[in-house]
Amino acid sequence: MLPRLLLLICAPLCEPAGLLLIVSPSHPTEGSPVNLTCKMPSLQSSDAQFQFCFFRDAQALGPGWSSSPKLQIANMWKEDSGSYWCEAQTMASKVLRSWRSQINVHRVPVADVSLETQPPGGQVMEGDRLVLICSVAMGTGDITFLWYKGAIGLNLQTKTQRSLTAEYEIPTARESDAEQYYCVAENGYGPRPSGLVSITVRIPVSRPILMVRAPRAQAVVGDVLKLHCEALRGSHPILYWFYHEDVILGSSSAPSGGGASFNLSLTAEHSGNYSCEANNGLGAQRSEEVTLNFTVPTGARSNHLTSGVIEGLLGTLGPATVALLFCYGLKRKIGRRSTRDPLRSLPSPVPQEFPYLNSPTPGQLQRTYENVNVVSGHDVYSLVYYNQPKQESAAAETLGTHMEDQVSLDIYSRLRKANITDVDYEDAM
């Protein structure tokens, strides 16, 4: 009687002995699949039809009761660890249960944390979008990502997600965003930091300012003028170009700020409009024009004016002007030589009396001819003198000067026909 009672009590507990739960793999890692199989070794599949169901900690898995003795869990996570078993139910509603199996899902610690940027290289234009991408080469489960700025480690953002990468976005990059950054990842096994990444925010140059520095309030020709060009904003290095009326004067580079200068020695042609241009490879900017007018010193202006007048006269009057100037110089040279060397001066003509001493008419003057050296072949050239009485009146002095000029012209004309140079004429005297 007693053995039978014990058998009735133990029967329900002994029924699971015919049902077996097989777990593959038996020690899964996070993110990997697990296959569960409910098997009845003592029964053939043709002996009876069964419905199967799998459980974890009293919670049914999958679709519930099914005719398939297998169940696949696509991704196992740390929280999926627990006690698993399966049950089989016959057509007569008899339920068989397997022994429980403990499944522990293993988490892989994060490793090889890195920080990358988009755009790549850590350089971004001011105003553009900047993305900091934190990645881990391995690690399972929920990973917490943190981004830090600067050496002091200012926390920018924290994200927790089941992923090997996470992003932190700066929608509009500014100059203040230029700094060193790093990220940290952890999944319960301690934080793992990345290396430092330097971010450079590239800033186009602003419109430069041109400053002109002169040694005095009113610059004059010959002064050294200093042109200084500076863009107040812009990434370095910056190349500066200097212009005068859109003609390049020169260039200078500023590798670390402060602008650039160009020294210019002024000439009369340097009056006009000046400007400069700044360029750092992100676009060029031109300064406003500065108009400068320089003072020409009096001496230089007089020389320049005299030269211009003479050139104008020569171009307008042509050979007649040349002959006139030559005769004037020749006359003065003859006079000087007569004073220095009386022996070589022209012979004085014999004074003659004029019948009308007070007559102002040039036609009443008497001419005297005197032969000089034979200078070309068999031709004899003559010097012509006009004699007039010595009078104290102003009219007589004026008339004498006019006649003297006529003599010089006559001499010059005859010498030109004979191709006699100035030196030849002086030797002839």
Side-chain angles (χ1 to χ4, degrees):
M1 189 70 183
L2 182 60
R4 185 177 178 85
L5 181 61
L6 292 175
L7 182 60
L8 291 175
I9 295 174
C10 294
L13 299 176
C14 296
E15 286 181 351
L19 201 59
L20 181 62
L21 176 65
I22 300 175
V23 179
S24 178
S26 59
H27 302 284
T29 59
E30 280 189 314
S32 62
V34 168
N35 294 312
L36 303 178
T37 302
C38 195
K39 191 173 183 180
M40 300 179 64
S42 60
L43 297 177
Q44 299 295 329
S45 59
S46 57
D47 294 343
Q49 291 184 352
F50 290 89
Q51 293 288 315
F52 299 92
C53 187
F54 297 87
F55 297 88
R56 183 195 68 219
D57 298 331
Q59 181 180 359
L61 302 175
W65 291 96
S66 170
S67 60
S68 175
K70 296 181 178 181
L71 175 67
Q72 184 184 60
I73 302 174
N75 300 102
M76 293 288 287
W77 304 107
K78 185 72 173 178
E79 56 269 24
D80 292 329
S81 297
S83 178
Y84 288 77
W85 75 89
C86 66
E87 293 181 358
Q89 185 177 18
T90 65
M91 296 298 295
S93 298
K94 185 179 180 180
V95 176
L96 302 176
R97 177 182 296 176
S98 70
W99 297 108
R100 294 174 180 264
S101 296
Q102 183 67 33
I103 300 177
N104 294 316
V105 181
H106 298 280
R107 174 164 290 178
V108 178
V110 296
D112 298 331
V113 182
S114 62
L115 182 64
E116 298 177 349
T117 65
Q118 185 63 39
Q123 293 194 356
V124 59
M125 286 283 291
E126 185 181 38
D128 288 355
R129 176 174 174 263
L130 174 64
V131 180
L132 304 178
I133 306 171
C134 191
S135 304
V136 296
M138 61 180 62
T140 59
D142 291 337
I143 301 177
T144 300
F145 296 91
L146 305 97
W147 288 265
Y148 294 91
K149 176 183 179 180
I152 61 174
L154 174 64
N155 181 240
L156 300 173
Q157 192 178 37
T158 301
K159 283 184 178 180
T160 300
Q161 58 191 51
R162 193 165 288 175
S163 172
L164 297 179
T165 62
E167 297 181 353
Y168 170 69
E169 178 181 342
I170 300 175
T172 305
R174 303 187 182 279
E175 186 176 7
S176 58
D177 294 323
E179 186 56 271
Q180 289 184 322
Y181 294 81
Y182 68 96
C183 70
V184 172
E186 67 94 14
N187 62 350
Y189 292 91
R192 297 288 186 272
S194 71
L196 289 171
V197 173
S198 295
I199 299 298
T200 302
V201 180
R202 298 284 290 161
I203 304 172
V205 293
S206 60
R207 191 174 190 181
I209 299 173
L210 178 62
M211 293 173 285
V212 181
R213 298 171 184 170
R216 66 189 80 196
Q218 179 62 49
V220 299
V221 170
D223 286 348
V224 176
L225 203 66
K226 185 175 183 180
L227 305 177
H228 185 79
C229 188
E230 182 174 358
L232 300 182
R233 294 189 76 247
S235 300
H236 302 107
I238 301 176
L239 181 62
Y240 293 93
W241 294 86
F242 297 87
Y243 296 87
H244 173 233
E245 301 294 355
D246 290 331
V247 176
I248 296 176
L249 296 173
S251 64
S252 182
S253 179
S256 59
S261 299
F262 180 81
N263 292 331
L264 178 66
S265 182
L266 296 181
T267 66
E269 292 77 17
H270 280 150
S271 292
N273 296 321
Y274 288 79
S275 62
C276 68
E277 182 180 275
N279 193 340
N280 64 351
L282 304 176
Q285 290 286 343
R286 194 78 168 262
S287 72
E288 293 183 359
E289 288 188 339
V290 176
T291 302
L292 301 176
N293 294 312
F294 307 120
T295 301
V296 179
T298 305
R301 186 187 297 112
S302 300
N303 294 338
H304 185 73
L305 178 60
T306 303
S307 174
V309 170
I310 293 175
E311 291 176 0
L313 288 174
L314 292 178
T316 304
L317 301 180
T321 305
V322 176
L324 180 60
L325 296 174
F326 178 81
C327 290
Y328 176 74
L330 183 62
K331 182 189 68 173
R332 295 186 61 184
K333 182 174 291 187
I334 292 173
R336 289 194 299 271
R337 292 187 64 86
S338 298
T339 303
R340 292 194 307 268
D341 191 4
L343 296 177
R344 300 191 61 182
S345 61
L346 293 174
S348 300
V350 179
Q352 297 183 5
E353 296 293 332
F354 288 88
Y356 303 100
L357 294 179
N358 296 327
S359 176
T361 304
Q364 296 179 359
L365 299 178
Q366 301 297 318
R367 297 183 179 181
T368 299
Y369 294 87
E370 183 176 355
N371 292 337
V372 293
N373 297 337
V374 177
V375 295
S376 178
H378 301 287
D379 297 331
V380 178
Y381 295 89
S382 300
L383 295 178
V384 182
Y385 293 88
Y386 291 93
N387 297 306
Q388 63 181 1
K390 297 182 178 179
Q391 303 180 44
E392 297 298 326
S393 64
E397 291 178 1
T398 304
L399 184 58
T401 303
H402 176 73
M403 293 299 104
E404 189 179 16
D405 291 342
Q406 283 295 115
V407 171
S408 298
L409 287 173
D410 193 5
I411 294 171
Y412 170 74
S413 177
R414 292 173 181 272
L415 292 177
R416 289 287 292 178
K417 290 180 179 179
N419 291 324
I420 297 177
T421 64
D422 188 20
V423 178
D424 294 334
Y425 178 80
E426 290 179 3
D427 294 338
M429 298 296 101

